[in-house]
Amino acid sequence: MTKLWGGRFSSQTDILAAQLNASIAFDWRLAPFDVRASSIWAEELAEIGLLSSEEHQQIQRGLEQISSEIQDQSFQIKPDDEDVHTAIERRLFELIGEPAGKLHTGRSRNDQVMTDFLLWLREAGGILENALREVQQALIDRAETDLGLMIPGYTHLQRAQPILLSHWWLSHFYPLQRDRQYLAFLLKQANLCPLGSSALAGCPYPINRFRLAQKLGFDAPMPNSIDAVSSRDAAASFLFFASLVSVHLSRLAEALIVFSTTEFGFVELPDAYTTGSSIMPQKKNPDMLELTRAKAGTTIGKLTGFLSVLKNLPSAYDKDLQEDKPAVFSTFDSLSLILPVISGILRSLVVNPSKLSAGLDPTLLATEIADFLVLQGIPFRKAHRLVGELVKECANQGITLLQVSAERLAKIHERLPGQLNRLLDPHLAVERRSQFGGTSSESVKTQIVQAREMLHKLY
Ligand code: ARG
């Protein structure tokens, strides 16, 4: 078949070159959006008299037919279909003949592809926003269910201070909230209509770009036709958004992998979200969490790869820009799998309270002793050193802080022996952190209330 642009060519495209050039293998998912944008475009052409009402009706009927073929997957992609736009136009011609050739009046695939892409992005963004909210909801529910349970909080993966497990769950809620805020921002920024910009210079026919934009659900037309066809900020921002979400999820995934080891045993991962070993019958492997961790790497790769494509590109459309779609679509696909899997894991994992409390050894309360000494008037630096020395002695003697003699404690401060048990109580240590944002039960309950509100109002 001859190409839609075949007029000035006297020989066929080389087969391999055509394969390299074609995007149909990965842009077909734009088909429903292409049809929708084409239908509105046809309306505008009819409005200014470039289509007779007869031709307009034929085009709309043809597009409806194509739309149902797309939906029921009976649309036949032909080997010569270069991309989604040419495939649909080719089919329209098969269905209605000559009037199909009028649809492309005043538009170019350059403004067409960006319009389709933004329409898709709006829908994809909605799907991810819901999936993110589900993960956040699961984190809040966990925080509520697990209220009262303490775990050792870690820094450098070394036991640091006791915290409420709920506080820790919520520490993974807030990053996802910022991700949703960022998503809303990027979708808002991307909600300007490129259609009507044509190849680069703008449309020579008096179509109403404002009405066109509004009909397609955009806030307004893009104000500069060159920018409209050459910007891929929406794709880059989406990839950044996805990278940050993946990074956030990878940190949660890594923690759950560690927490589910026999060594930690804080949580047991549900069977539905683990795999077995082909050789070791006892194994239950956290593959899904590992893949979540890994996808952060490959997603960041897509972001940096695509930014490198954009860097130094000559003005307006270049075929390089076609690379936005494999990067964005594969990122969307993996994220839309990861998010519900993470929700499922959060909802069904089992927390092991006895393992949690076993991790709360008295050394985690060393800071409490130093803080007590501060209240007795000892400068914090000095208090820190005195307690540090005490901890070192305990380690050398193989005893815990609870086993230090009253005599030794009194050398640090006369009131210390009488206070030690209270100071080394992890519950009291947790409840002492009742400041806004701290780990006390009151503070965590405040976070839960706030988090629930944020699920619905973003800020
Ligand atoms: N498949 C192309 C893309 O994704 C559509 C735009 C083609 N434009 C062109 N001037 N060849 O970018």
Side-chain angles (χ1 to χ4, degrees):
M1 195 197 116
T2 48
K3 292 269 188 280
L4 295 174
W5 37 258
R8 65 106 57 222
F9 289 78
S10 29
S11 74
Q12 295 288 319
T13 318
D14 170 80
I15 290 182
L16 294 179
Q19 268 181 37
L20 175 62
N21 193 41
S23 54
I24 189 89
F26 51 81
D27 67 14
W28 182 246
R29 73 174 77 195
L30 295 179
F33 306 97
D34 197 75
V35 171
R36 189 159 140 226
S38 290
S39 161
I40 304 288
W41 183 247
E43 270 179 38
E44 289 303 309
L45 292 178
E47 200 69 54
I48 56 170
L50 284 178
L51 293 178
S52 69
S53 80
E54 169 68 20
E55 289 165 335
H56 181 218
Q57 272 176 26
Q58 280 178 287
I59 289 181
Q60 293 299 355
R61 256 183 293 188
L63 288 173
E64 272 165 38
Q65 164 72 23
I66 292 174
S67 177
S68 54
E69 289 177 12
I70 294 166
Q71 250 180 7
D72 66 21
Q73 298 182 7
S74 62
F75 189 104
Q76 301 262 331
I77 294 169
K78 299 271 164 73
D80 270 345
D81 290 335
E82 184 182 323
D83 55 26
V84 59
H85 325 288
T86 52
I88 288 174
E89 202 177 318
R90 184 262 307 150
R91 180 67 184 138
L92 188 63
F93 189 81
E94 284 168 9
L95 290 169
I96 66 167
E98 206 58 60
K102 291 199 169 183
L103 177 61
H104 210 55
T105 312
R107 76 174 182 185
S108 150
R109 279 183 296 160
N110 298 352
D111 58 346
Q112 200 182 346
V113 70
M114 247 344 258
T115 306
D116 296 357
F117 179 82
L118 294 182
L119 291 175
W120 171 86
L121 187 67
R122 198 192 291 158
E123 200 171 289
I127 293 171
L128 293 182
E129 130 98 324
N130 281 333
L132 269 169
R133 197 179 308 123
E134 285 294 316
V135 178
Q136 290 184 289
Q137 180 77 63
L139 285 164
I140 299 176
D141 292 349
R142 275 248 73 103
E144 204 144 54
T145 315
D146 298 339
L147 258 178
L149 294 177
M150 287 183 295
I151 57 165
Y154 293 81
T155 64
H156 310 267
L157 206 54
Q158 305 286 326
R159 285 181 189 167
Q161 287 180 322
I163 53 171
L164 288 188
L165 175 55
S166 304
H167 192 52
W168 186 82
W169 288 126
L170 290 171
S171 75
H172 293 278
F173 168 91
Y174 289 96
L176 300 180
Q177 183 68 12
R178 291 189 293 274
D179 292 337
R180 278 201 310 127
Q181 290 166 347
Y182 182 66
L183 176 63
F185 166 76
L186 85 87
L187 290 175
K188 175 82 186 149
Q189 212 181 41
N191 208 34
L192 297 177
C193 185
L195 200 60
S197 299
S198 210
L200 80 164
C203 178
Y205 305 107
I207 50 140
N208 183 337
R209 283 199 68 207
F210 289 85
R211 186 176 54 205
L212 178 69
Q214 196 212 340
K215 282 183 180 173
L216 287 168
F218 291 103
D219 294 331
M222 281 193 85
N224 179 299
S225 62
I226 303 171
D227 179 46
V229 294
S230 55
S231 167
R232 290 298 180 273
D233 289 5
S237 302
F238 176 82
L239 290 171
F240 173 71
F241 152 78
S243 299
L244 200 52
V245 171
S246 315
V247 165
H248 292 147
L249 296 179
S250 78
R251 295 189 71 176
L252 174 61
E254 167 69 1
L256 294 178
I257 290 168
V258 172
F259 287 176
S260 66
T261 56
T262 314
E263 286 73 8
F264 274 76
F266 289 180
V267 299
E268 192 186 331
L269 298 175
D271 284 1
Y273 296 97
T274 44
T275 62
S277 155
S278 55
I279 174 167
M280 298 164 282
Q282 86 284 10
K283 289 293 291 279
K284 205 164 134 178
N285 294 328
D287 295 31
M288 318 327 167
L289 292 169
E290 290 166 331
L291 286 167
T292 300
R293 189 172 59 183
K295 296 276 187 200
T298 45
T299 304
I300 293 166
K302 302 245 167 74
L303 169 67
T304 55
F306 184 60
L307 286 174
S308 313
V309 168
L310 293 181
K311 180 183 171 298
N312 296 357
L313 271 190
S315 176
Y317 183 84
D318 305 280
K319 200 56 172 265
D320 312 52
L321 295 175
Q322 180 166 283
E323 288 291 298
D324 58 354
K325 284 171 283 297
V328 167
F329 292 161
S330 60
T331 300
F332 169 78
D333 288 343
S334 64
L335 210 49
S336 41
L337 277 177
I338 288 172
L339 287 164
V341 166
I342 292 291
S343 301
I345 292 176
L346 288 170
R347 292 206 173 280
S348 49
L349 61 77
V350 177
V351 174
N352 184 347
S354 64
K355 283 281 195 174
L356 299 185
S357 45
L360 295 169
D361 75 75
T363 321
L364 272 80
L365 284 311
T367 315
E368 305 311 294
I369 306 178
D371 284 336
F372 166 79
L373 296 176
V374 165
L375 294 180
Q376 312 312 309
I378 300 178
F380 182 75
R381 273 294 142 243
K382 186 172 175 200
H384 186 284
R385 202 190 59 244
L386 290 171
V387 181
E389 284 163 4
L390 186 65
V391 170
K392 184 165 72 182
E393 273 174 41
C394 287
N396 290 341
Q397 292 167 26
I399 59 170
T400 75
L401 282 171
L402 279 167
Q403 295 164 311
V404 178
S405 70
E407 206 186 356
R408 171 68 181 91
L409 294 172
K411 273 195 204 152
I412 299 178
H413 193 277
E414 57 189 7
R415 292 190 56 213
L416 188 54
Q419 294 296 319
L420 192 74
N421 282 355
R422 195 180 63 83
L423 292 174
L424 296 188
D425 180 339
H427 266 292
L428 295 178
V430 161
E431 294 309 336
R432 232 171 264 139
R433 276 139 184 99
S434 56
Q435 274 281 4
F436 182 79
T439 199
S440 76
S441 356
E442 271 324 294
S443 161
V444 169
K445 281 180 194 156
T446 306
Q447 289 178 54
I448 292 177
V449 172
Q450 189 201 37
R452 284 210 187 288
E453 279 170 16
M454 284 180 129
L455 270 187
H456 306 290
K457 56 177 205 353
L458 216 53
Y459 283 96

